[in-house]
Amino acid sequence: MTRCLVCAAPTRPFLSFGPMPLANGFLREDEFAAEEFHPLEAALCASCAMPQLVHPVPRERMFNERYPFFTASSSAMAAHFARFAADVRRRWLSAADPLVVEIGSNDGTLLRHFAVSGTRHVGVEPSANVAAVALAAGVRCTQRFFDEDTASDIAAAHGRADAILAANCFCHVADLNALARSLDILLARDGVVVFEDPYAGDILARCAYDQIYDEHVYYFSATAVARWLAPHGFELIDVARQEVHGGSMRYALARTGAHPVGDSVAALLAEERSRGLDGIAPFLDLARAVSRSREALVALLREAKSGGKRVAGYGATSKSTTLLNYCGITPELVEFISDTTPLKQGKFSPGMHIPVRPHGDFAARPPDYALLFAWNHAAEILAKERAFREAGGRWIVYVPEVKVLD
Ligand code: TMP
Ligand code: ZN
Protein backbone atom coordinates (compact mmCIF):
# COMPACT_ATOMS: atom_id res chain seq x y z
CA MET A 1 0.00 0.00 0.00
CA THR A 2 1.23 3.48 -0.79
CA ARG A 3 0.67 6.46 1.45
CA CYS A 4 -0.34 10.02 0.63
CA LEU A 5 2.60 12.37 0.11
CA VAL A 6 0.62 15.10 1.89
CA CYS A 7 -1.21 13.48 4.83
CA ALA A 8 0.23 9.92 4.96
CA ALA A 9 -3.21 8.26 4.73
CA PRO A 10 -3.58 5.27 2.36
CA THR A 11 -4.01 6.06 -1.34
CA ARG A 12 -5.82 4.21 -4.08
CA PRO A 13 -4.08 3.91 -7.46
CA PHE A 14 -6.28 4.62 -10.48
CA LEU A 15 -3.93 4.83 -13.49
CA SER A 16 -0.68 3.08 -14.20
CA PHE A 17 1.31 3.97 -17.30
CA GLY A 18 4.33 1.78 -16.60
CA PRO A 19 7.92 2.99 -17.00
CA MET A 20 8.18 6.43 -18.62
CA PRO A 21 11.12 8.57 -19.69
CA LEU A 22 11.45 12.11 -18.28
CA ALA A 23 8.69 14.23 -19.84
CA ASN A 24 11.15 16.97 -20.73
CA GLY A 25 14.04 14.59 -21.39
CA PHE A 26 14.59 15.53 -25.05
CA LEU A 27 17.83 13.85 -26.02
CA ARG A 28 20.50 13.28 -28.64
CA GLU A 29 21.06 9.97 -30.38
CA ASP A 30 24.24 9.30 -28.40
CA GLU A 31 22.18 9.56 -25.20
CA PHE A 32 19.60 6.89 -26.12
CA ALA A 33 21.42 4.04 -24.39
CA ALA A 34 21.61 5.86 -21.05
CA GLU A 35 18.02 7.17 -21.08
CA GLU A 36 16.36 6.90 -17.67
CA PHE A 37 12.86 5.59 -17.01
CA HIS A 38 10.64 5.95 -13.93
CA PRO A 39 7.30 4.26 -13.18
CA LEU A 40 4.36 6.62 -13.77
CA GLU A 41 1.36 5.86 -11.62
CA ALA A 42 -1.39 8.12 -10.25
CA ALA A 43 -3.41 7.61 -7.07
CA LEU A 44 -6.04 9.36 -4.98
CA CYS A 45 -5.68 9.89 -1.24
CA ALA A 46 -8.57 8.33 0.67
CA SER A 47 -8.40 11.06 3.31
CA CYS A 48 -7.36 14.42 1.81
CA ALA A 49 -8.56 13.56 -1.73
CA MET A 50 -5.32 14.76 -3.30
CA PRO A 51 -4.72 13.19 -6.73
CA GLN A 52 -1.00 12.49 -6.92
CA LEU A 53 1.87 10.48 -8.36
CA VAL A 54 2.90 7.35 -6.52
CA HIS A 55 6.60 7.58 -7.41
CA PRO A 56 7.74 11.21 -7.63
CA VAL A 57 11.00 11.67 -9.53
CA PRO A 58 13.79 13.52 -7.64
CA ARG A 59 13.45 17.21 -8.49
CA GLU A 60 17.09 17.66 -9.55
CA ARG A 61 16.52 15.09 -12.33
CA MET A 62 13.95 17.44 -13.90
CA PHE A 63 14.76 21.05 -13.02
CA ASN A 64 18.33 21.82 -13.92
CA GLU A 65 20.39 23.81 -16.40
CA ARG A 66 18.89 21.76 -19.26
CA TYR A 67 15.22 22.54 -18.52
CA PRO A 68 13.82 23.19 -21.98
CA PHE A 69 10.52 24.91 -21.17
CA PHE A 70 10.29 28.67 -21.69
CA THR A 71 7.01 30.36 -20.71
CA ALA A 72 7.41 33.02 -23.41
CA SER A 73 7.27 30.38 -26.20
CA SER A 74 3.52 31.00 -26.42
CA SER A 75 2.17 34.48 -27.13
CA ALA A 76 -1.19 33.57 -25.59
CA MET A 77 0.58 32.61 -22.34
CA ALA A 78 2.48 35.91 -22.37
CA ALA A 79 -0.87 37.75 -22.67
CA HIS A 80 -2.33 35.58 -19.91
CA PHE A 81 0.47 36.55 -17.54
CA ALA A 82 -0.01 40.25 -18.30
CA ARG A 83 -3.62 39.81 -17.13
CA PHE A 84 -2.51 37.75 -14.13
CA ALA A 85 -0.14 40.56 -13.02
CA ALA A 86 -2.83 43.22 -13.48
CA ASP A 87 -5.34 41.14 -11.52
CA VAL A 88 -2.92 40.64 -8.61
CA ARG A 89 -2.11 44.33 -8.54
CA ARG A 90 -5.78 45.34 -8.55
CA ARG A 91 -7.07 42.83 -6.02
CA TRP A 92 -4.27 41.96 -3.66
CA LEU A 93 -1.57 44.63 -3.64
CA SER A 94 -2.87 47.38 -1.37
CA ALA A 95 0.30 47.71 0.77
CA ALA A 96 2.57 50.70 0.22
CA ASP A 97 5.77 49.62 -1.56
CA PRO A 98 4.72 45.95 -1.71
CA LEU A 99 7.01 42.97 -2.21
CA VAL A 100 5.99 40.37 -4.80
CA VAL A 101 7.71 36.97 -4.88
CA GLU A 102 7.19 34.44 -7.61
CA ILE A 103 8.03 30.78 -7.08
CA GLY A 104 9.13 29.07 -10.29
CA SER A 105 9.62 32.33 -12.16
CA ASN A 106 10.99 30.61 -15.29
CA ASP A 107 12.02 33.23 -17.89
CA GLY A 108 10.40 36.10 -15.96
CA THR A 109 7.32 36.41 -18.16
CA LEU A 110 5.05 37.18 -15.17
CA LEU A 111 7.48 39.17 -12.99
CA ARG A 112 8.48 41.41 -15.88
CA HIS A 113 5.15 43.20 -15.40
CA PHE A 114 6.16 44.10 -11.84
CA ALA A 115 9.76 44.89 -12.79
CA VAL A 116 8.76 47.48 -15.42
CA SER A 117 6.58 49.38 -12.96
CA GLY A 118 9.32 49.42 -10.32
CA THR A 119 7.49 47.09 -7.90
CA ARG A 120 9.84 45.29 -5.51
CA HIS A 121 10.01 41.69 -6.64
CA VAL A 122 12.06 38.49 -6.38
CA GLY A 123 11.78 35.40 -8.53
CA VAL A 124 12.84 31.96 -7.32
CA GLU A 125 13.85 29.57 -10.10
CA PRO A 126 16.01 26.44 -9.85
CA SER A 127 16.64 25.96 -13.59
CA ALA A 128 19.71 28.03 -14.44
CA ASN A 129 19.07 28.46 -18.17
CA VAL A 130 15.57 29.90 -17.87
CA ALA A 131 16.58 32.03 -14.84
CA ALA A 132 19.34 33.56 -16.97
CA VAL A 133 16.71 34.77 -19.48
CA ALA A 134 14.76 36.45 -16.66
CA LEU A 135 17.90 38.17 -15.30
CA ALA A 136 18.79 39.45 -18.76
CA ALA A 137 15.30 40.95 -19.02
CA GLY A 138 15.81 42.95 -15.82
CA VAL A 139 13.89 40.63 -13.49
CA ARG A 140 15.47 40.09 -10.08
CA CYS A 141 15.66 36.36 -9.40
CA THR A 142 17.56 33.87 -7.36
CA GLN A 143 18.57 30.55 -8.87
CA ARG A 144 17.55 27.92 -6.32
CA PHE A 145 14.68 25.72 -5.20
CA PHE A 146 12.09 27.34 -2.93
CA ASP A 147 12.33 25.87 0.55
CA GLU A 148 12.45 27.08 4.15
CA ASP A 149 16.03 28.37 3.79
CA THR A 150 15.18 30.28 0.62
CA ALA A 151 12.09 31.75 2.29
CA SER A 152 14.11 32.86 5.35
CA ASP A 153 16.83 34.38 3.18
CA ILE A 154 14.35 36.39 1.10
CA ALA A 155 12.48 37.56 4.21
CA ALA A 156 15.77 38.61 5.82
CA ALA A 157 16.95 40.50 2.74
CA HIS A 158 13.70 42.11 1.58
CA GLY A 159 11.12 41.68 4.34
CA ARG A 160 8.00 39.54 4.15
CA ALA A 161 6.07 39.24 0.91
CA ASP A 162 2.70 40.90 0.34
CA ALA A 163 1.98 38.56 -2.55
CA ILE A 164 3.55 35.22 -3.37
CA LEU A 165 2.70 34.05 -6.88
CA ALA A 166 3.19 30.77 -8.70
CA ALA A 167 1.95 29.48 -12.03
CA ASN A 168 2.33 25.83 -13.00
CA CYS A 169 4.75 25.38 -10.16
CA PHE A 170 3.11 24.17 -6.92
CA CYS A 171 1.85 21.00 -8.60
CA HIS A 172 5.52 20.21 -9.30
CA VAL A 173 6.54 20.38 -5.62
CA ALA A 174 6.53 16.91 -4.03
CA ASP A 175 6.78 18.08 -0.40
CA LEU A 176 3.68 20.26 -0.06
CA ASN A 177 4.00 20.45 3.72
CA ALA A 178 7.50 21.91 3.42
CA LEU A 179 6.10 24.29 0.81
CA ALA A 180 3.37 25.45 3.22
CA ARG A 181 5.95 25.98 5.98
CA SER A 182 8.09 28.01 3.57
CA LEU A 183 5.07 30.14 2.60
CA ASP A 184 4.41 30.69 6.30
CA ILE A 185 7.97 31.99 6.79
CA LEU A 186 7.85 34.37 3.84
CA LEU A 187 4.28 35.66 3.73
CA ALA A 188 3.34 38.94 5.47
CA ARG A 189 0.56 38.71 8.07
CA ASP A 190 -2.05 39.98 5.63
CA GLY A 191 -0.28 38.67 2.54
CA VAL A 192 -1.89 36.57 -0.15
CA VAL A 193 -0.58 33.57 -2.07
CA VAL A 194 -1.99 33.28 -5.58
CA PHE A 195 -1.18 30.18 -7.58
CA GLU A 196 -2.61 28.39 -10.59
CA ASP A 197 -2.16 24.87 -11.91
CA PRO A 198 -3.97 22.43 -14.18
CA TYR A 199 -7.30 21.55 -12.56
CA ALA A 200 -8.27 17.97 -11.71
CA GLY A 201 -11.88 18.72 -12.66
CA ASP A 202 -10.82 19.62 -16.20
CA ILE A 203 -8.43 16.67 -16.54
CA LEU A 204 -11.34 14.37 -15.72
CA ALA A 205 -13.92 16.16 -17.85
CA ARG A 206 -11.62 16.35 -20.89
CA CYS A 207 -9.83 13.03 -20.52
CA ALA A 208 -6.63 15.08 -20.53
CA TYR A 209 -4.53 12.22 -19.27
CA ASP A 210 -1.39 13.60 -20.87
CA GLN A 211 -1.33 16.15 -18.01
CA ILE A 212 -0.11 13.22 -15.94
CA TYR A 213 3.68 13.14 -16.13
CA ASP A 214 6.67 13.22 -13.80
CA GLU A 215 6.79 17.00 -13.25
CA HIS A 216 3.13 17.14 -12.24
CA VAL A 217 3.20 15.44 -8.86
CA TYR A 218 -0.30 16.73 -7.98
CA TYR A 219 -3.59 17.32 -9.85
CA PHE A 220 -5.23 19.88 -7.61
CA SER A 221 -8.89 20.36 -6.79
CA ALA A 222 -10.16 23.04 -4.40
CA THR A 223 -11.16 20.25 -2.03
CA ALA A 224 -7.64 18.80 -1.89
CA VAL A 225 -5.97 22.22 -1.72
CA ALA A 226 -8.16 23.28 1.21
CA ARG A 227 -7.41 20.04 3.08
CA TRP A 228 -3.67 20.39 2.45
CA LEU A 229 -3.58 23.99 3.75
CA ALA A 230 -5.87 23.86 6.78
CA PRO A 231 -3.33 22.25 9.19
CA HIS A 232 -0.84 24.96 8.22
CA GLY A 233 -3.14 27.83 9.22
CA PHE A 234 -4.06 28.86 5.67
CA GLU A 235 -7.42 28.93 3.92
CA LEU A 236 -8.67 29.46 0.39
CA ILE A 237 -10.13 32.94 -0.03
CA ASP A 238 -10.82 32.92 -3.76
CA VAL A 239 -10.81 30.59 -6.76
CA ALA A 240 -11.09 31.40 -10.45
CA ARG A 241 -11.10 29.14 -13.49
CA GLN A 242 -8.51 29.78 -16.20
CA GLU A 243 -8.56 28.33 -19.69
CA VAL A 244 -4.75 28.09 -19.96
CA HIS A 245 -2.84 24.80 -19.93
CA GLY A 246 -5.90 22.88 -20.95
CA GLY A 247 -8.00 24.03 -18.00
CA SER A 248 -6.48 25.49 -14.85
CA MET A 249 -7.66 26.86 -11.52
CA ARG A 250 -6.26 29.96 -9.85
CA TYR A 251 -6.33 29.73 -6.05
CA ALA A 252 -5.83 32.62 -3.62
CA LEU A 253 -5.02 31.73 -0.04
CA ALA A 254 -4.25 33.65 3.11
CA ARG A 255 -3.74 33.07 6.81
CA THR A 256 -6.98 31.75 8.28
CA GLY A 257 -9.21 34.70 9.20
CA ALA A 258 -6.94 37.36 7.66
CA HIS A 259 -9.17 38.01 4.63
CA PRO A 260 -12.86 37.56 3.86
CA VAL A 261 -13.57 34.30 2.03
CA GLY A 262 -15.13 34.88 -1.39
CA ASP A 263 -18.33 33.12 -2.47
CA SER A 264 -16.41 31.42 -5.27
CA VAL A 265 -14.78 29.07 -2.74
CA ALA A 266 -17.97 27.53 -1.31
CA ALA A 267 -19.44 27.33 -4.82
CA LEU A 268 -16.49 25.37 -6.20
CA LEU A 269 -16.29 23.08 -3.16
CA ALA A 270 -19.99 22.28 -3.57
CA GLU A 271 -19.55 21.63 -7.29
CA GLU A 272 -16.65 19.26 -6.58
CA ARG A 273 -18.73 17.42 -3.98
CA SER A 274 -21.52 16.94 -6.47
CA ARG A 275 -19.03 15.63 -9.05
CA GLY A 276 -17.58 13.23 -6.50
CA LEU A 277 -14.04 14.60 -6.79
CA ASP A 278 -13.27 13.50 -3.23
CA GLY A 279 -13.89 9.86 -4.18
CA ILE A 280 -12.28 7.37 -6.54
CA ALA A 281 -15.21 6.87 -8.95
CA PRO A 282 -14.48 9.69 -11.46
CA PHE A 283 -10.80 8.70 -11.47
CA LEU A 284 -11.64 5.11 -12.35
CA ASP A 285 -13.89 6.46 -15.12
CA LEU A 286 -10.89 8.41 -16.39
CA ALA A 287 -8.77 5.26 -16.45
CA ARG A 288 -11.35 3.53 -18.66
CA ALA A 289 -11.63 6.55 -20.96
CA VAL A 290 -7.84 6.71 -21.29
CA SER A 291 -7.58 3.21 -22.64
CA ARG A 292 -10.40 3.85 -25.16
CA SER A 293 -8.66 7.07 -26.23
CA ARG A 294 -5.42 5.19 -26.90
CA GLU A 295 -7.19 2.63 -29.08
CA ALA A 296 -8.90 5.34 -31.12
CA LEU A 297 -5.74 7.37 -31.65
CA VAL A 298 -3.54 4.44 -32.62
CA ALA A 299 -6.22 3.19 -35.04
CA LEU A 300 -6.43 6.61 -36.67
CA LEU A 301 -2.65 6.89 -37.06
CA ARG A 302 -2.37 3.35 -38.47
CA GLU A 303 -5.09 4.13 -40.97
CA ALA A 304 -3.28 7.29 -42.09
CA LYS A 305 -0.05 5.32 -42.43
CA SER A 306 -1.63 2.55 -44.48
CA GLY A 307 -3.24 5.20 -46.70
CA GLY A 308 0.25 6.54 -47.45
CA LYS A 309 -0.33 9.79 -45.50
CA ARG A 310 2.38 11.67 -43.63
CA VAL A 311 1.73 12.64 -40.00
CA ALA A 312 3.81 15.15 -38.01
CA GLY A 313 3.41 16.21 -34.40
CA TYR A 314 2.90 19.88 -33.56
CA GLY A 315 4.57 21.11 -30.33
CA ALA A 316 7.07 18.88 -28.53
CA THR A 317 5.21 19.34 -25.25
CA SER A 318 6.03 17.62 -22.00
CA LYS A 319 2.48 16.23 -22.12
CA SER A 320 3.21 14.46 -25.40
CA THR A 321 5.76 12.25 -23.64
CA THR A 322 2.99 10.51 -21.69
CA LEU A 323 0.79 10.21 -24.77
CA LEU A 324 3.48 8.92 -27.14
CA ASN A 325 4.94 6.38 -24.74
CA TYR A 326 1.61 5.15 -23.41
CA CYS A 327 0.24 4.75 -26.95
CA GLY A 328 3.54 3.37 -28.29
CA ILE A 329 3.67 5.91 -31.13
CA THR A 330 7.00 5.52 -32.92
CA PRO A 331 8.56 7.50 -35.83
CA GLU A 332 6.83 4.94 -38.07
CA LEU A 333 3.52 6.66 -37.28
CA VAL A 334 4.66 10.21 -36.55
CA GLU A 335 7.53 11.29 -38.78
CA PHE A 336 8.77 14.29 -36.79
CA ILE A 337 7.57 16.89 -34.26
CA SER A 338 7.65 20.59 -35.09
CA ASP A 339 8.69 22.85 -32.20
CA THR A 340 9.82 26.46 -31.92
CA THR A 341 12.10 25.89 -28.90
CA PRO A 342 15.76 25.91 -30.07
CA LEU A 343 16.84 23.68 -27.15
CA LYS A 344 14.52 20.89 -28.34
CA GLN A 345 15.28 21.13 -32.06
CA GLY A 346 17.68 18.55 -33.47
CA LYS A 347 16.96 16.30 -30.50
CA PHE A 348 14.60 13.35 -30.16
CA SER A 349 11.44 12.93 -28.12
CA PRO A 350 11.88 11.01 -24.84
CA GLY A 351 11.30 7.27 -25.11
CA MET A 352 9.87 7.03 -28.62
CA HIS A 353 12.73 9.00 -30.20
CA ILE A 354 10.76 10.95 -32.76
CA PRO A 355 12.95 13.70 -34.24
CA VAL A 356 12.12 17.30 -33.16
CA ARG A 357 12.55 19.80 -35.96
CA PRO A 358 12.18 23.57 -36.30
CA HIS A 359 8.89 24.95 -37.54
CA GLY A 360 10.55 25.81 -40.86
CA ASP A 361 10.59 22.09 -41.70
CA PHE A 362 6.86 21.87 -41.07
CA ALA A 363 6.17 24.93 -43.22
CA ALA A 364 8.50 23.85 -46.04
CA ARG A 365 7.06 20.35 -46.39
CA PRO A 366 3.71 20.22 -44.61
CA PRO A 367 2.46 16.76 -43.62
CA ASP A 368 -1.03 15.50 -44.54
CA TYR A 369 -1.97 15.42 -40.86
CA ALA A 370 -0.68 17.46 -37.93
CA LEU A 371 -1.17 15.78 -34.58
CA LEU A 372 -1.71 18.64 -32.14
CA PHE A 373 0.37 17.82 -29.06
CA ALA A 374 0.17 21.46 -27.93
CA TRP A 375 -3.64 21.20 -27.74
CA ASN A 376 -3.66 23.65 -24.84
CA HIS A 377 -2.50 26.28 -27.36
CA ALA A 378 -5.03 25.24 -30.02
CA ALA A 379 -6.63 28.65 -30.60
CA GLU A 380 -3.27 30.37 -31.07
CA ILE A 381 -1.88 27.62 -33.29
CA LEU A 382 -4.92 27.07 -35.52
CA ALA A 383 -5.10 30.81 -36.18
CA LYS A 384 -1.40 30.94 -37.02
CA GLU A 385 -1.52 27.87 -39.27
CA ARG A 386 -4.45 28.81 -41.45
CA ALA A 387 -2.30 28.26 -44.56
CA PHE A 388 -1.66 24.63 -43.56
CA ARG A 389 -5.38 23.95 -43.50
CA GLU A 390 -6.09 25.90 -46.67
CA ALA A 391 -3.49 23.82 -48.47
CA GLY A 392 -5.39 20.66 -47.48
CA GLY A 393 -3.64 19.80 -44.19
CA ARG A 394 -5.81 18.33 -41.44
CA TRP A 395 -5.49 18.54 -37.67
CA ILE A 396 -5.74 15.49 -35.44
CA VAL A 397 -6.67 16.22 -31.83
CA TYR A 398 -7.21 13.82 -28.93
CA VAL A 399 -8.60 16.05 -26.16
CA PRO A 400 -11.41 15.86 -25.22
CA GLU A 401 -11.74 13.08 -27.82
CA VAL A 402 -9.79 11.66 -30.72
CA LYS A 403 -10.88 13.23 -33.98
CA VAL A 404 -9.82 14.87 -37.22
CA LEU A 405 -10.94 18.51 -37.29
CA ASP A 406 -12.90 19.48 -40.36
P1 TMP B 1 3.40 23.56 -23.22
O1 TMP B 1 2.21 22.83 -23.75
O2 TMP B 1 4.00 22.88 -22.05
O3 TMP B 1 3.10 25.03 -23.02
O4 TMP B 1 4.54 23.48 -24.34
C1 TMP B 1 4.31 23.99 -25.61
C2 TMP B 1 5.41 23.53 -26.55
O5 TMP B 1 4.94 23.75 -27.88
C3 TMP B 1 6.70 24.30 -26.43
O6 TMP B 1 7.78 23.41 -26.64
C4 TMP B 1 6.65 25.31 -27.56
C5 TMP B 1 5.83 24.59 -28.59
N1 TMP B 1 5.04 25.47 -29.44
C6 TMP B 1 5.30 25.47 -30.82
O7 TMP B 1 6.18 24.76 -31.30
N2 TMP B 1 4.55 26.30 -31.61
C7 TMP B 1 3.58 27.12 -31.10
O8 TMP B 1 2.95 27.86 -31.84
C8 TMP B 1 3.31 27.08 -29.68
C9 TMP B 1 2.25 27.96 -29.08
C10 TMP B 1 4.07 26.24 -28.90
ZN1 ZN C 1 -3.78 12.72 1.79
Side-chain angles (χ1 to χ4, degrees), residues 167-350:
N168 306 303
C169 173
F170 283 6
C171 75
H172 296 63
V173 178
D175 192 343
L176 286 184
N177 293 311
L179 173 59
R181 289 194 300 273
S182 309
L183 294 173
D184 188 30
I185 291 169
L186 182 56
L187 191 69
R189 206 161 41 91
D190 294 327
V192 173
V193 179
V194 188
F195 71 99
E196 63 183 38
D197 282 289
Y199 178 53
D202 290 325
I203 293 174
L204 294 172
R206 300 173 187 185
C207 189
Y209 70 90
D210 57 348
Q211 292 281 17
I212 301 175
Y213 58 87
D214 51 15
E215 292 177 21
H216 291 170
V217 184
Y218 298 103
Y219 308 89
F220 294 138
S221 62
T223 307
V225 167
R227 291 182 190 176
W228 153 45
L229 291 168
H232 295 279
F234 291 115
E235 65 182 353
L236 280 175
I237 57 170
D238 190 67
V239 290
R241 282 177 191 283
Q242 308 293 324
E243 255 319 306
V244 296
H245 278 302
S248 297
M249 190 64 70
R250 183 179 298 165
Y251 307 89
L253 59 106
R255 297 185 190 283
T256 305
H259 283 261
V261 176
D263 296 341
S264 59
V265 176
L268 184 60
L269 290 172
E271 180 187 323
E272 292 182 354
R273 245 189 328 273
S274 74
R275 292 180 61 185
L277 290 198
D278 56 348
I280 196 75
F283 295 90
L284 295 176
D285 288 345
L286 173 72
R288 285 185 283 270
V290 164
S291 115
R292 288 195 300 270
S293 173
R294 166 167 72 175
E295 280 168 34
L297 181 60
V298 172
L300 186 64
L301 294 175
R302 290 223 174 99
E303 193 187 308
K305 171 87 188 166
S306 60
K309 305 291 189 196
R310 292 174 56 230
V311 181
Y314 199 101
T317 56
S318 13
K319 295 191 291 297
S320 69
T321 297
T322 294
L323 182 98
L324 289 167
N325 287 276
Y326 170 66
C327 296
I329 298 170
T330 61
E332 275 271 281
L333 294 178
V334 171
E335 187 179 308
F336 69 95
I337 305 172
S338 165
D339 196 282
T340 52
T341 314
L343 210 56
K344 296 180 185 176
Q345 296 162 355
K347 294 194 174 162
F348 293 83
S349 76

Side-chain angles (χ1 to χ4, degrees), residues 366-386:
D368 300 294
Y369 293 99
L371 176 52
L372 186 56
F373 293 134
W375 56 266
N376 49 315
H377 303 293
E380 175 178 354
I381 291 171
L382 265 53
K384 197 157 64 178
E385 295 291 353
R386 222 166 273 132

Side-chain angles (χ1 to χ4, degrees), residues 43-116:
L44 182 77
C45 175
S47 175
C48 75
M50 182 70 83
Q52 57 193 274
L53 292 186
V54 177
H55 316 279
V57 173
R59 61 188 189 178
E60 291 79 7
R61 307 295 316 139
M62 302 182 282
F63 309 111
N64 48 44
E65 70 290 347
R66 295 183 306 278
Y67 192 57
F69 179 77
F70 294 79
T71 305
S73 65
S74 153
S75 59
M77 286 308 288
H80 169 78
F81 285 121
R83 290 192 299 272
F84 190 164
D87 190 60
V88 167
R89 195 184 290 287
R90 182 175 59 80
R91 300 187 63 188
W92 312 114
L93 275 196
S94 53
D97 192 24
L99 174 67
V100 176
V101 176
E102 187 189 1
I103 321 290
S105 47
N106 196 271
D107 56 14
T109 298
L110 175 59
L111 276 187
R112 242 171 266 200
H113 298 286
F114 296 96
V116 292

